[in-house]
């Protein structure tokens, strides 16, 4: 079987690895990714949004199913490029990916269809409206409506410390985009639930907790995600009823999208928060999470090519996972997320990482004849799974010590101390 993967980060490196276990991997990437290139039968280094070139390339290789991975390419309609030339696709069309690239659409879809889990919110197109929303909603979160690589959200009391700062950020977004989303600030513990979808039904992956804040103790600016952990079928701070509530919200979204003429085929990503008032939705994405993809894919037992093919046909097969715990931590360049230091040489002792029972996936790097170099974003993710969370965490720390270069990572992710804090936090909210 021939599978095409479009995209080239750490998440795609993990997807490529799973695909190449059960099929011939073909890949399209804007720059040479050292890991994906090595796994590919053949690769094309080209701008994936150049429709005529990539469609022709895929067609001439008789690709049986294509998977477009990154948000920006989904928003650009790269899935549609392949669908239009008759190649089956396991990723969402531009229309369906709107659930991610337009937060206003995602919220109004929920409201129109009375899907539970929406916080109080208002989409504003003037500063006057924003001022009114502040009065109505109370403590708020300011969000751009479009894609920002996870870095556009600012929270009152954390990133915005006075009403003036809130309004100044609203004014900045209004000037840039013409609108801004203001939402009730929710308090609780966040978790990610991802599902394979075929337009009609879904198959869930294990829940994962990501860490969006840059620094230890969940402080600092938002990032694309510094690392994540999972502990089998349930996270330590969740109850089964929380997971059931999140699942039924995702099923309702899938049905609503189908009924409204935008059936969703691909990986649906729900970012949820367990609050005092139950499960609420932070956002939806139209793709695997990065880093969360690496947690779940390291446990996947069902061959990924088989899943992709079944999704593209609307005949989803259920996905099965091993029950281990997983930890992922990203090594990021000095200066990240404000201004990650690019073009720095990194050295990796891959053999030693293997010996530790861990894996390394390259993120925002490029390769020349001189070696592997950083770009401004997250450099490489170390991943491990084990029966105990502490074992996986230790293996990941060991793996990160096998990379040299001007990089840093969050040491607290996946530690017992952090997990205990999560449990105590939920208890304090719910009692
Ligand atoms: P997003 O880009 O929408 O995933 O938001 C990034 C991060 O901002 C989330 O992971 C949350 O930590 C935080 N966030 C977003 N929306 C809210 C909200 N309504 N209440 C509290 N925190 C939020
Ligand atoms: N880890 C968050 C995201 O992929 O958007």
């Amino acid at each position: 079987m021939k599978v095409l993967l479009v995209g080239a980060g750490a998440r795609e490196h993990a997807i490529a690895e799973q695909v190449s276990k059960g099929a011939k991997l073909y890949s399209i990437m804007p720059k040479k990714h050292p890991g994906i290139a090595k796994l590919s039968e053949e690769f094309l280094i080209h701008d994936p949004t150049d429709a005529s070139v990539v469609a022709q390339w895929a067609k001439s290789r008789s690709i049986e199913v294509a998977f477009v991975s990154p948000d920006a390419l989904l928003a650009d309609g790269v899935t549609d490029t392949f669908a239009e030339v008759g190649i089956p696709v396991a990723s969402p069309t531009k229309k369906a990916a709107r659930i991610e690239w337009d937060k206003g659409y995602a919220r109004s879809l929920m409201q129109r269809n009375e899907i539970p889990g929406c916080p109080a919110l208002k989409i504003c197109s003037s500063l006057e409206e924003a001022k009114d929303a502040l009065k109505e909603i109370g403590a708020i979160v300011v969000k751009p409506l479009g894609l920002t690589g996870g870095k556009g959200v600012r929270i009152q009391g954390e990133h915005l410390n006075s009403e003036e700062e809130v309004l100044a950020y609203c004014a900045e977004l209004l000037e840039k985009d013409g609108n801004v989303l203001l939402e009730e600030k929710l308090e609780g513990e966040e978790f990610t639930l991802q599902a394979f979808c075929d337009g009609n039904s879904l198959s869930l992956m294990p829940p994962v907790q990501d860490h969006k804040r840059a620094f230890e103790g969940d402080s600092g600016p938002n990032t694309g995600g510094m690392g994540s952990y999972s502990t089998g079928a349930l996270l330590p701070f969740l109850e089964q009823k929380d997971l059931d509530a999140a699942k039924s919200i995702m099923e309702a979204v899938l049905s609503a999208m189908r009924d409204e003429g935008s059936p969703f085929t691909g990986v649906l990503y729900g970012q949820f928060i367990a609050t005092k008032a139950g499960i609420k939705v932070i956002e939806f994405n139209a793709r695997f999470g990065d880093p969360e993809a690496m947690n779940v894919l390291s446990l996947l037992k069902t061959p990924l090519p088989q899943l992709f093919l079944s999704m593209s046909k609307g005949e989803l097969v259920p996905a099965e996972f091993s029950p281990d715990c997983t930890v992922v931590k990203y090594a990021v360049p000095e200066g990240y997320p404000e201004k990650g230091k690019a073009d720095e040489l990194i050295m990796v002792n891959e053999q030693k990482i293997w010996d530790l029972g861990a894996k390394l996936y390259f993120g925002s790097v490029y390769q020349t004849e001189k070696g592997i170099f950083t770009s401004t974003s997250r450099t490489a993710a170390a991943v491990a799974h084990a029966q105990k969370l502490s074992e996986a965490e230790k293996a990941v720390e060991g793996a990160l010590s096998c990379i040299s270069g001007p990089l840093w990572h969050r040491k607290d992710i996946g530690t017992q101390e952090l997990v205990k804090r999560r449990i105590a936090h939920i208890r304090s909210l719910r009692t």
Side-chain angles (χ1 to χ4, degrees):
M1 187 172 152
K2 294 181 171 181
V3 178
L4 172 67
L5 171 67
V6 186
R11 167 185 51 198
E12 289 75 23
H13 191 176
I15 297 169
E17 189 184 73
Q18 289 297 327
V19 167
S20 65
K21 282 184 191 166
K24 286 186 176 161
L25 172 70
Y26 290 75
S27 51
I28 299 178
M29 45 188 139
K31 279 186 191 169
K32 184 174 175 185
H33 182 289
I36 301 172
K38 217 193 251 177
L39 292 166
S40 300
E41 200 73 17
E42 209 184 327
F43 57 89
L44 173 69
I45 297 177
H46 197 80
D47 173 5
T49 63
D50 187 354
S52 57
V53 171
V54 298
Q56 173 56 33
W57 190 84
K59 202 69 195 153
S60 64
R61 267 86 188 156
S62 309
I63 296 299
E64 287 160 86
V65 62
F67 185 78
V68 181
S69 174
D71 47 355
L73 299 184
L74 295 168
D76 228 86
V78 175
T79 300
D80 309 56
T81 300
F82 299 114
E84 278 157 18
V85 294
I87 297 172
V89 287
S91 47
T93 58
K94 177 172 183 166
K95 196 174 169 197
R98 190 172 177 198
I99 192 82
E100 171 164 11
W101 58 255
D102 180 358
K103 284 185 160 80
Y105 163 78
R107 289 307 192 195
S108 62
L109 179 94
M110 289 183 77
Q111 289 174 329
R112 256 195 320 278
N113 292 280
E114 296 177 2
I115 298 172
C118 238
L121 62 99
K122 191 159 181 183
I123 298 168
C124 306
S125 46
S126 71
L127 210 51
E128 289 314 308
E129 280 178 13
K131 282 181 189 161
D132 290 345
L134 256 179
K135 278 192 209 118
E136 283 164 32
I137 299 176
I140 55 147
V141 175
V142 184
K143 298 184 173 189
L145 287 170
L147 298 179
T148 59
K151 295 175 197 148
V153 172
R154 292 198 196 158
I155 299 173
Q156 196 171 13
E158 286 183 42
H159 312 112
L160 304 167
N161 287 309
S162 63
E163 202 170 306
E164 287 72 45
E165 282 183 25
V166 170
L167 291 173
Y169 188 47
C170 289
E172 188 185 318
L173 294 176
L174 283 166
E175 165 110 16
K176 191 152 63 80
D177 305 331
N179 48 37
V180 57
L181 173 61
L182 301 190
E183 281 184 3
E184 168 195 358
K185 177 179 167 181
L186 300 165
E187 206 208 326
E189 280 300 324
E190 288 178 53
F191 63 97
T192 300
L193 198 55
Q194 302 166 94
F196 296 105
C197 304
D198 70 355
N200 285 302
S201 57
L202 57 77
S203 178
L204 285 186
M205 306 182 215
V208 180
Q209 188 172 44
D210 183 22
H211 298 73
K212 301 282 270 190
R213 302 299 193 283
F215 307 129
E216 271 149 45
D218 298 316
S219 60
N222 273 320
T223 67
M226 295 297 292
S228 45
Y229 69 91
S230 72
T231 51
L234 211 55
L235 284 161
F237 55 86
L238 290 180
E239 293 172 28
Q240 187 58 43
K241 67 174 168 45
D242 299 319
L243 203 62
D244 293 344
K247 183 183 180 198
S248 80
I249 290 172
M250 289 185 52
E251 285 170 339
V253 165
L254 201 63
S255 304
M257 290 184 75
R258 183 198 53 212
D259 295 348
E260 292 189 0
S262 307
F264 187 94
T265 297
V267 172
L268 183 63
Y269 168 116
Q271 181 75 33
F272 294 97
I273 183 164
T275 72
K276 195 176 166 180
I279 298 299
K280 306 273 179 188
V281 175
I282 298 278
E283 67 168 352
F284 291 106
N285 291 328
R287 53 173 172 82
F288 277 115
D290 187 354
E292 295 97 320
M294 292 175 269
N295 299 91
V296 294
L297 289 173
S298 65
L299 304 174
L300 182 64
K301 292 204 285 193
T302 317
L304 192 56
Q306 189 193 343
L307 274 163
F308 282 167
L309 197 63
S310 75
M311 287 151 72
S312 75
K313 288 182 176 163
E315 296 167 2
L316 183 65
V317 294
E320 283 182 40
F321 295 87
S322 91
D324 269 4
C325 298
T326 63
V327 174
V328 179
K329 300 193 199 197
Y330 256 115
V332 300
E334 275 173 11
Y336 180 84
E338 256 80 44
K339 204 169 181 292
K341 216 169 165 192
D343 310 315
E344 295 286 336
L345 182 66
I346 57 164
M347 307 284 261
V348 178
N349 185 339
E350 285 198 57
Q351 184 58 47
K352 200 163 160 216
I353 295 175
W354 276 99
D355 293 346
L356 287 163
K359 281 188 180 163
L360 190 79
Y361 296 111
F362 288 112
S364 182
V365 298
Y366 63 95
Q367 188 175 22
T368 71
E369 65 284 357
K370 294 199 183 107
I372 296 174
F373 292 86
T374 59
S375 299
T376 55
S377 201
R378 296 172 291 177
T379 306
V383 184
H385 65 96
Q387 275 184 349
K388 284 194 182 149
L389 189 65
S390 56
E391 288 166 21
E393 198 271 335
K394 201 168 146 217
V396 162
E397 281 295 330
L400 289 169
S401 70
C402 301
I403 317 175
S404 58
L407 305 174
W408 61 276
H409 69 276
R410 259 184 77 165
K411 295 200 173 56
D412 60 346
I413 294 166
T415 59
Q416 286 306 319
E417 201 192 341
L418 180 136
V419 172
K420 277 189 198 149
R421 261 207 337 263
R422 305 289 189 227
I423 297 170
H425 184 208
I426 276 284
R427 284 211 183 117
S428 73
L429 289 174
R430 288 184 166 171
T431 50

